[in-house]
């Protein structure tokens, strides 16, 4: 057998496993060839080599392959190392060459798949959803690209076809990829060699989501250790992978995956038979009838193998499996369920830990409640944790926990008659695991205190000897406990330093509140009733504007969301209007911003903004980069940015960062004309700055300060609308009248305006979902009333789209025309001959000098005003263009009314 063949078939990872050497998450380990206090040896799985960076090492300056590693480790000759390598890959005289080739090829592909997973965002997203951590388990990704760089290696390509990872395609010379875009799990034989693969698709959840390589053989995660006493059997490989991530479980149990409810193969049975010290088999199957039936069937098989053995099963909640449990719950859910297992004969078929009935904890402030399932003591639901209402575990549950982390500054690990207290917590740096440790002999009441680095095995040996002498405890037991403690603390630190963003709070209404909300949502003229309630929440006047803004905000749950822009001068009440509208949306889904930095949107997590309602109190302060990001989220529902990232091998590579929508948004501005791109994507709402509206607001303020307005009633109305919104669900909409209404063709960006109009119709239909019928595809059917209401609500916004002047500027110009007309009547001259100066304008319009200057310059630039005179004598102004906006409004309204009548 050639040296190159040995190097191809024997990976460095196998050699490290053989010698009990385990690299850390950064593929580093303490060099075994010299005294090494900090990891100085780097493992390179891609090239199958190792390199020690310490100048004290005898191998310094040399890149070690598998044979070199064996030679240095055993202190033997090259020839002897080659023979040792042959033994490791299982070269036996009667072993067929085809099997050796299969092992070599699959071992090579296993290394390739493991390396690929770090560079594929789709794979990492799937693993994140599944709560699988590639730093804790052996896992890979088949991106379907491995054959491109090896096309010239004909022998390898034919071997890949033989084992089934490739198939000959058409035209000749092309290949079909087996299990493309799938997570790869290695199946191993008794010698811990890779002999097959199981693949889990990341792109298909309906058809062909599971793939086994042809000639399936091997077990996952591996053959159980011969000394196994307690063995957990899972229904699926992904469930086994979930369990072995948890060091608190693997310390006590071995795990073996079956291949489905009919997947206890002969190889499984032979492997279990060989476990001479086996005391208990634990079934941890899915919480469904198929899982229960499989447990009963295979329990009989296990009984037939052993004369005396304990067979138990874990009572998985109905409709759940191992992996789904860690997705939906935090805390020690798996450990708790395993600890509560029962002999399979005692388990009632329908016995569940979790009731299907949710308990409601009523909150008097909002008549809503956080969802709280009946969980075992000590287990926390995501929503409870994110709300800060997590309940402490009971003493009984804590006693069953292997690692007690209730006090992060005094982490406790209990073994037989020994307690280990990590004082002061653990440091976040990942290159060491330094702790201050108190070891207590609970029988004698004596203790031993020390400081050590649990990544340093020699330190562990020395401490174990010292503790043994001081506390009269077996040295081997101390060493084993410290190694177990090292794994547990490493996992605990990893979970806390790479903690996922908290789950969104899930709110469920109690039965009484839900009934009231549904009754309200079923009422006729619902949009008008909602508008009235908004008025009772503190919005005075602005009837059309406030209901339009609410409809926009309510779209945040939908696939196609809406956006609004509130225009008004400084002090006109824009921010207050936005604040009240945002208070009508469930607060768990609202994000408010007073400032946004250039790149902040790009740095959100991929799903942090999905179906959120974003509020910008003053969009004028956003720079162009932030506005660009916001526009892309509004239009395309996604941000994809190219950035540089430093990977574990020290190289910097380009990678993609993705932030997904959709979002709904409302922003305030005093300079709406500056944001042309944003205006074209948004419904523009102008704050009513008329004298009449000002008087209404002043009256409201006076009534409030006089104590005549019940603020608690306003808050109650806001919460009621929030609760109603929690019951509104997304739907697909079909509008049979979509082609019956034509908007004015001279409107600004009519194509986008028409799309936005149809979106408003859809959203009004969705708000009326408790009153609308569905077609045979489950789509809500729009009624004529929805179109009429959309036209009424949108009328002012449509006018603003038609008008060349923005909302605030139009109101200023109309007041200016009214002043000029009144002055012309007094002086008995033509309106076109009336001149006025800036002092007259401020007196007539009541606006500030700064706003007046901006408005006048805009009107001059648009040639609505003519500037007369000279700067040293003071300018006068004259209206140059007397447009008739009222006539345009009437024309558009009549046109829309006629179209609605003809429906």
């Amino acid at each position: 057998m050639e040296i190159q063949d040995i190097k191809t078939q024997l990976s460095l990872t196998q050699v490290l496993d053989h010698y009990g050497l385990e690299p850390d998450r950064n593929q580093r380990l303490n060099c075994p060839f010299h005294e090494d206090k900090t990891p100085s040896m780097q493992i390179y799985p891609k090239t199958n080599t190792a390199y020690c960076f310490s100048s004290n090492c005898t191998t310094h300056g040399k890149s070690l392959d598998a044979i070199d590693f064996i030679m240095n480790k055993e202190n033997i000759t090259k020839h002897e190392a080659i023979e040792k390598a042959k033994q490791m890959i299982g070269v036996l005289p009667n072993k067929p060459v085809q099997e050796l080739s299969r092992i070599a090829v699959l071992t090579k592909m296993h290394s390739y798949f493991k390396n690929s997973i770090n560079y594929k965002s789709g794979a990492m997203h799937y693993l994140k959803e599944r709560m699988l951590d590639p730093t804790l388990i052996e896992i890979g990704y088949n991106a379907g690209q491995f054959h491109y760089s090896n096309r010239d290696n004909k022998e390898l390509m034919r071997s890949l076809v033989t084992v089934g990872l490739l198939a000959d395609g058409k035209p000749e010379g092309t290949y079909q990829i087996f299990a493309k875009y799938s997570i790869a799990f290695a199946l191993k034989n008794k010698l811990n060699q890779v002999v097959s693969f199981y693949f889990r698709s990341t792109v298909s959840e309906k058809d062909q989501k599971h793939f086994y390589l042809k000639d399936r053989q091997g077990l996952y995660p591996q053959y159980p250790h011969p000394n196994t006493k307690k063995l957990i059997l899972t229904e699926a490989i992904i469930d086994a992978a979930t369990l072995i991530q948890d060091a608190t479980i693997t310390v006590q149990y071995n795990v073996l995956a079956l291949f489905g409810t009919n997947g206890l193969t002969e190889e499984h049975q032979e492997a279990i038979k060989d476990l001479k010290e086996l005391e208990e088999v634990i079934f941890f199957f899915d919480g469904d009838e198929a899982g229960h039936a499989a447990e009963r069937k295979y329990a009989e098989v296990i009984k037939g193998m052993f004369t005396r053995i304990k067979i138990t099963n874990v009572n998985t909640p109905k409709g759940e499996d191992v992996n789904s449990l860690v997705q939906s719950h935090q805390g020690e859910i798996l450990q708790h369920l395993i600890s509560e297992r029962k002999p399979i004969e005692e388990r009632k078929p329908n016995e569940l830990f979790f009731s299907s009935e949710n308990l409601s904890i009523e909150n008097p402030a909002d008549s809503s409640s956080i969802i709280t399932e009946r969980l075992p003591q000590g287990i926390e639901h995501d929503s409870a944790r994110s709300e800060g209402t997590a309940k402490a575990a009971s003493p009984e549950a804590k006693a069953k926990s292997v690692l007690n982390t209730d006090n992060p500054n005094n982490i406790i690990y209990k073994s037989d008659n020994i307690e280990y207290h990590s004082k002061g917590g653990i440091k976040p740096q990942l290159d060491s695991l330094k702790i201050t440790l108190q070891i207590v002999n609970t029988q004698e009441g004596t203790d031993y205190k020390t400081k050590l680095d649990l990544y340093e095995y020699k330190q562990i040996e020395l401490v174990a000897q010292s503790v043994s002498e001081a506390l009269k405890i077996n040295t081997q037991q101390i060493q084993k406990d410290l190694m177990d403690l090292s794994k547990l603390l490493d996992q605990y630190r990893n979970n806390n330093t790479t903690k996922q963003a908290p789950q969104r709070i899930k709110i469920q209404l109690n039965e009484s509140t839900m009934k009231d909300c549904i009754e309200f949502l079923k009422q006729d003229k619902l949009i008008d009733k909602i508008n009235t309630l908004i008025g009772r929440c503190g919005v005075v006047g602005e009837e059309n504007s406030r209901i339009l803004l609410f409809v926009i905000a309510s779209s945040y749950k939908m696939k196609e969301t809406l956006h609004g822009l509130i225009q008004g001068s400084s002090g006109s009440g824009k921010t207050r209007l936005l604040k009240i509208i945002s208070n009508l949306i469930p607060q768990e889904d609202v994000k408010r911003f007073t400032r946004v930095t250039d790149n902040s949107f790009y740095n959100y997590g991929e799903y942090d903004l999905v179906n959120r309602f974003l509020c910008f109190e003053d969009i004028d302060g956003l720079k162009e980069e932030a506005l660009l990001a916001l526009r892309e989220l509004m239009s395309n529902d996604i941000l994809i940015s190219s950035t540089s990232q430093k990977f574990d091998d020290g190289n910097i590579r380009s990678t993609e960062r993705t932030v997904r929508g959709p979002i709904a948004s409302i922003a305030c501005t005093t300079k709406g004309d500056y944001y042309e791109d944003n205006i074209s994507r948004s419904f523009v709402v102008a704050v009513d700055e008329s004298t009449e509206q000002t008087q209404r607001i002043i009256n409201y303020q006076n009534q409030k300060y006089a104590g005549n307005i019940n603020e608690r009633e306003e808050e109650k109305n806001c919460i009621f609308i929030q609760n109603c919104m929690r019951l509104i669900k997304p739907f697909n909409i079909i509008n049979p009248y979509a082609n019956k209404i034509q908007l004015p063709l001279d409107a600004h960006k009519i194509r986008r305006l028409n799309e936005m109009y149809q979106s408003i119709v859809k959203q009004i239909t969705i708000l009326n979902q408790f009153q609308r019928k569905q077609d045979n595809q489950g789509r809500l059917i729009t009624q004529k009333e929805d179109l009429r209401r959309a036209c009424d609500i949108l009328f002012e916004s449509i006018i603003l789209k038609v008008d060349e002047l923005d909302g605030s500027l139009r109101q200023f110009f109309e007041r200016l025309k009214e002043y000029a007309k009144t002055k012309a009547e007094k002086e008995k001259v033509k309106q076109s001959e009336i001149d006025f100066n800036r002092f007259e304008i401020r007196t007539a319009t009541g606006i500030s000098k700064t706003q007046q200057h901006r408005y006048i310059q805009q009107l001059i630039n648009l040639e609505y005003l003519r500037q007369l005179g000279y700067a040293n004598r003071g300018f006068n102004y004259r209206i140059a263009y007397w447009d008739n906006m009222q006539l345009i409004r009437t024309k558009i309204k009549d046109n829309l009314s006629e179209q609605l009548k003809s429906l």
Side-chain angles (χ1 to χ4, degrees):
M1 190 175 191
E2 298 294 331
I3 292 179
Q4 190 57 44
D5 294 334
I6 296 175
K7 291 181 179 180
T8 301
Q9 296 181 30
L10 180 62
S11 71
L12 186 58
T13 302
Q14 288 176 279
V15 175
L16 296 176
D17 288 343
H18 176 79
Y19 291 117
L21 300 173
E22 184 177 355
D24 61 20
R25 69 190 69 229
N26 297 313
Q27 293 299 316
R28 296 177 301 187
L29 53 78
N30 290 350
C31 180
F33 307 130
H34 73 284
E35 188 173 346
D36 196 7
K37 293 183 179 180
T38 58
S40 61
M41 176 167 279
Q42 182 70 51
I43 308 300
Y44 300 100
K46 194 170 185 179
T47 59
N48 213 23
T49 58
Y51 186 88
C52 182
F53 288 90
S54 173
S55 58
N56 297 324
C57 185
T58 56
T59 69
H60 180 67
K62 301 176 184 178
S63 182
L64 306 178
D65 59 22
I67 295 175
D68 294 331
F69 197 97
I70 296 170
M71 184 175 66
N72 284 275
K73 180 65 177 166
E74 302 278 352
N75 197 20
I76 55 180
T77 65
K78 185 90 168 183
H79 177 74
E80 291 172 331
I82 291 172
E83 294 302 316
K84 182 75 173 179
K86 288 180 180 180
Q87 294 176 15
M88 287 188 183
I89 59 177
V91 177
L92 301 173
N94 60 348
K95 200 145 189 174
V97 176
Q98 181 180 4
E99 184 176 349
L100 292 175
S101 175
R102 179 186 179 91
I103 292 173
V105 171
L106 296 183
T107 300
K108 180 181 181 68
M109 293 310 302
H110 183 43
S111 297
Y112 179 88
F113 289 151
K114 287 197 296 182
N115 190 57
S116 296
I117 202 163
N118 297 316
Y119 308 112
K120 303 298 179 183
S121 59
M124 296 305 292
H125 168 61
Y126 180 86
L127 294 181
K128 183 178 178 182
E129 284 187 331
R130 289 285 186 170
M131 302 293 285
L132 296 177
D133 188 346
T135 65
L136 298 176
I137 56 176
E138 277 194 347
I139 201 167
Y141 181 64
N142 181 6
Q145 299 174 346
F146 54 84
H147 62 294
Y148 290 126
S149 58
N150 294 290
R151 282 185 176 275
D152 296 334
N153 190 340
K154 302 298 183 183
E155 182 180 352
L156 177 60
M157 299 302 284
R158 293 314 308 164
S159 297
L160 290 172
V161 172
T162 301
V163 300
L165 286 171
L166 292 179
D168 291 318
K170 295 181 181 181
E172 189 175 350
T174 61
Y175 297 95
Q176 296 178 349
I177 316 299
F178 178 75
K180 191 174 182 180
Y181 306 132
S182 296
I183 303 297
F185 298 84
L187 307 184
K188 297 183 178 181
N189 63 12
K190 198 168 187 177
L191 297 174
N192 209 33
Q193 298 166 321
V194 181
V195 292
S196 191
F197 281 108
Y198 163 75
F199 295 97
R200 183 88 173 200
S201 174
T202 63
V203 296
S204 173
E205 284 296 333
K206 293 183 179 179
D207 303 319
Q208 298 183 341
K209 64 179 180 180
H210 303 279
F211 305 93
Y212 287 96
L213 204 58
K214 68 178 183 179
D215 302 327
R216 183 180 70 192
Q217 53 189 287
L219 303 178
Y220 184 84
Q222 60 194 13
Y223 268 65
H225 193 277
N227 296 331
T228 297
K229 294 184 178 180
K230 296 180 180 181
L231 180 66
I232 298 177
L233 299 180
T234 65
E235 184 176 319
I237 285 176
I238 198 168
D239 293 335
T242 305
L243 285 173
I244 63 176
Q245 288 184 138
D246 193 333
T248 59
I249 292 175
T250 55
V251 164
Q252 304 173 72
Y253 310 94
N254 270 38
V255 180
L256 182 62
L258 306 190
F259 303 143
T261 52
N262 295 310
L264 183 67
T265 66
E266 292 184 5
E267 190 170 5
H268 284 98
Q269 296 178 45
E270 290 299 322
I272 296 173
K273 281 181 183 178
D274 290 341
L275 303 177
K276 305 303 181 184
E277 299 183 22
L278 187 63
E279 299 173 353
E280 181 182 3
V281 173
I282 305 161
F283 288 95
F284 199 160
F285 280 19
D286 294 359
D288 55 24
E289 186 52 44
H292 299 323
E295 288 175 343
R296 293 191 292 270
K297 177 174 68 174
Y298 291 138
E300 295 300 321
V301 176
I302 300 298
K303 285 179 183 178
M305 297 182 188
F306 302 92
T307 54
R308 291 182 179 180
I309 193 171
K310 185 178 181 180
I311 301 178
T312 58
N313 70 337
V314 176
N315 193 16
T316 310
K318 188 175 182 180
E320 299 274 16
D321 55 47
V322 175
N323 186 253
S324 71
L325 284 169
V326 299
Q327 293 179 51
S328 58
H329 299 86
Q330 295 184 2
E332 300 171 349
I333 178 67
L334 300 180
Q335 300 96 297
H336 182 88
L337 291 175
I338 293 172
S339 69
E340 293 291 331
R341 65 189 183 277
K342 292 182 180 180
I344 199 164
E345 298 86 354
E346 297 179 13
R347 183 72 66 189
K348 298 177 183 178
N350 296 319
E351 184 181 348
L352 297 175
F353 282 118
F354 297 172
S355 170
S356 59
E357 175 188 1
N358 289 328
L359 298 180
S360 294
I361 304 177
E362 187 171 350
N363 184 341
D366 61 3
S367 300
S368 63
S369 59
I370 300 173
I371 297 177
T372 56
E373 295 174 302
R374 286 201 184 110
L375 301 179
Q377 288 184 318
I379 308 302
E380 299 170 331
H381 191 281
D382 286 350
S383 59
R385 180 183 294 270
S386 56
E387 189 68 18
T389 58
K391 297 182 178 178
S394 68
E396 294 79 9
K398 290 179 183 176
K400 294 172 184 176
S401 171
V402 178
L403 194 68
N404 186 336
T405 59
D406 289 350
N407 183 356
N409 293 315
N410 185 28
I411 299 173
I412 302 172
Y413 171 62
K414 293 182 180 180
S415 180
D416 294 337
N417 303 323
I418 310 174
E419 286 186 2
Y420 299 82
H421 296 251
S422 175
K423 301 291 186 178
I426 53 178
K427 299 185 185 317
Q429 290 78 14
L430 299 179
D431 59 346
S432 63
L433 190 55
K434 296 178 180 178
I435 61 171
T436 299
L437 192 64
Q438 179 188 18
I439 304 173
V440 181
N441 184 332
T442 55
Q443 281 190 333
E444 302 292 334
T446 55
D447 71 335
Y448 183 95
K449 299 181 180 68
T450 185
K451 290 186 178 182
L452 79 159
D453 185 349
L454 290 174
Y455 279 177
E456 295 286 349
Y457 185 70
K458 289 186 177 180
Q459 286 190 31
I460 292 177
E461 285 184 321
L462 293 173
V463 168
Q465 291 175 4
S466 300
V467 173
S468 176
E469 294 174 4
L471 303 184
K472 311 302 183 197
I473 301 175
N474 183 273
T475 305
Q476 285 72 28
Q477 180 183 349
I478 299 292
Q479 286 187 12
K480 180 182 181 300
D481 288 348
L482 291 176
M483 294 298 291
D484 291 343
L485 178 61
S486 173
K487 291 181 180 179
L488 293 168
L489 289 178
D490 206 11
Q491 179 180 338
Y492 168 75
R493 180 172 63 179
N494 180 60
N495 290 340
N496 283 271
T497 56
T498 60
K499 194 174 181 179
Q500 303 291 332
Q503 300 287 329
R504 293 187 185 180
I505 302 170
K506 299 175 183 178
I507 303 295
Q508 180 169 315
L509 311 181
N510 59 44
E511 186 175 347
S512 173
T513 303
M514 187 182 298
K515 182 180 178 181
D516 292 342
C517 291
I518 292 176
E519 287 180 0
F520 176 78
L521 293 169
K522 286 182 177 181
Q523 294 185 44
D524 292 337
K525 298 183 178 181
L526 174 64
I527 303 301
D528 292 334
K529 289 182 170 57
I530 292 176
N531 200 358
T532 302
L533 268 183
I534 296 174
R536 293 175 183 170
C537 293
V539 182
V540 181
E542 309 266 14
E543 285 81 2
N544 266 345
S545 297
R546 70 195 188 193
I547 189 61
L548 172 58
L549 290 172
F550 174 77
V551 172
I552 292 169
S554 69
S555 70
Y556 76 95
K557 288 184 181 180
M558 312 310 156
K559 185 177 180 182
E560 296 175 359
T561 53
L562 304 174
H563 308 276
L565 192 64
I566 305 176
Q567 287 183 337
S569 59
S570 179
S572 60
K574 305 181 301 298
T575 304
R576 184 176 185 277
L577 180 59
L578 174 59
K579 180 181 179 181
I580 294 177
I581 294 299
S582 67
N583 284 340
L584 305 179
I585 302 301
Q587 298 303 285
E588 64 270 18
D589 297 323
V590 177
K591 282 185 174 291
R592 298 178 177 87
F593 301 99
T594 54
R595 176 177 175 265
V596 179
T597 57
D598 285 359
N599 297 317
S600 61
F601 280 121
Y602 299 99
N603 294 323
Y604 273 102
E606 185 170 358
Y607 297 94
D608 286 353
L609 297 181
V610 173
N611 294 122
R612 295 282 198 178
F613 173 47
L614 275 53
C615 304
F616 300 90
E617 294 181 1
D618 191 347
I619 204 172
D620 300 342
L622 270 66
K623 294 185 178 179
E624 182 56 37
E625 184 67 28
L627 285 173
L628 171 63
L630 179 58
R631 288 197 295 269
E632 288 304 307
L633 278 173
M634 291 164 65
S635 293
N636 301 324
D637 297 339
I638 191 171
L639 287 177
I640 303 176
S641 56
S642 177
T643 185
S644 298
Q645 181 177 339
K646 188 173 183 179
F647 288 85
D648 291 341
D649 59 5
N651 293 325
I652 297 176
R653 301 183 182 89
S654 295
T655 186
E656 290 182 357
R657 181 183 289 275
T658 303
V659 180
R660 300 183 184 276
I663 63 166
S665 69
I666 297 178
C668 298
T669 180
T670 57
K671 306 174 183 178
D673 57 309
Y674 292 174
Y675 301 98
E676 175 66 22
D677 287 340
N678 291 64
I679 286 179
S680 65
R681 292 167 168 80
S682 306
F683 294 97
V684 183
V685 176
V687 176
D688 186 354
E689 299 184 50
S690 66
T691 305
E692 296 78 11
Q693 174 64 8
T694 301
Q695 189 59 50
R696 283 194 289 267
I697 292 174
I698 290 173
N699 289 339
Y700 171 81
Q701 292 172 344
N702 292 340
Q703 290 289 328
K704 187 173 183 180
Y705 287 119
N708 297 328
I709 292 177
N710 189 338
E711 295 184 27
R712 190 173 182 83
E713 190 66 25
E714 288 183 347
E715 182 183 356
K716 183 178 178 181
N717 290 328
C718 287
I719 292 171
F720 180 75
I721 297 178
Q722 285 182 23
N723 291 334
C724 289
M725 285 306 304
R726 291 187 176 105
L727 297 179
I728 297 295
K729 305 298 181 186
F731 272 96
N732 289 325
I733 305 296
I734 181 171
N735 181 2
Y737 310 101
N739 58 352
K740 302 294 178 64
I741 300 293
Q742 298 294 325
L743 299 179
L745 294 177
D746 54 350
H748 184 61
K749 296 191 182 300
I750 181 63
R751 296 180 182 179
R752 184 164 279 168
L753 176 61
N754 185 69
E755 182 181 359
M756 292 160 68
Y757 167 74
Q758 297 294 351
S759 298
I760 284 286
V761 173
K762 287 175 59 176
Q763 188 59 29
I764 291 176
T765 305
I766 286 172
L767 290 173
N768 282 296
Q769 61 186 244
F770 286 90
Q771 308 172 38
R772 298 294 176 256
K773 296 180 180 179
Q774 299 181 30
D775 66 1
N776 53 12
Q777 298 181 35
R779 299 175 297 183
L780 290 180
I781 301 174
T782 297
Q783 294 185 7
K784 298 176 185 179
E785 178 60 28
D786 299 327
L787 276 80
R788 293 191 182 95
R789 204 65 191 90
C791 285
D792 292 340
I793 293 173
L794 270 182
F795 182 71
E796 293 298 331
S797 190
I798 293 171
I799 294 300
L800 287 175
K801 291 285 186 179
V802 174
D803 196 354
E804 189 176 16
L805 308 183
D806 68 61
S808 300
L809 186 58
R810 166 56 62 185
Q811 293 182 45
F812 172 79
F813 187 54
E814 290 298 321
R815 291 202 294 271
L816 204 58
K817 287 196 299 182
E818 187 64 30
Y819 171 73
K821 182 179 178 182
T822 303
K823 186 176 180 180
E825 292 174 352
K826 286 182 180 179
E827 297 181 5
K828 298 182 179 179
V829 296
K830 294 181 180 179
Q831 295 177 3
S832 59
E833 296 176 359
I834 292 297
D835 298 340
F836 38 82
N837 58 35
R838 292 189 175 221
F839 294 102
E840 294 179 80
I841 295 174
R842 285 211 295 276
T843 302
T845 60
I847 64 174
S848 68
K849 181 179 179 181
T850 303
Q851 290 173 326
Q852 171 193 256
H853 177 74
R854 186 169 71 248
Y855 289 155
I856 288 175
Q857 290 304 314
Q858 289 175 330
L859 291 172
I860 290 173
N861 293 338
L862 293 170
E863 299 182 350
Y864 280 70
L865 279 186
R866 185 181 301 127
Q867 186 172 271
L868 307 173
Y870 302 94
N872 59 342
R873 297 182 182 179
F875 290 118
N876 281 346
Y877 302 93
R878 179 180 295 176
I879 296 176
Y881 176 52
W882 288 79
D883 64 351
N884 192 341
M885 199 61 204
Q886 189 59 43
L887 181 63
I888 296 173
R889 292 170 61 91
T890 303
K891 179 181 176 183
I892 294 174
K893 191 163 190 175
D894 290 345
N895 178 266
L896 291 174
S897 297
E898 289 299 322
Q899 294 184 63
L900 290 169
K901 287 179 181 178
S902 63
L903 290 178

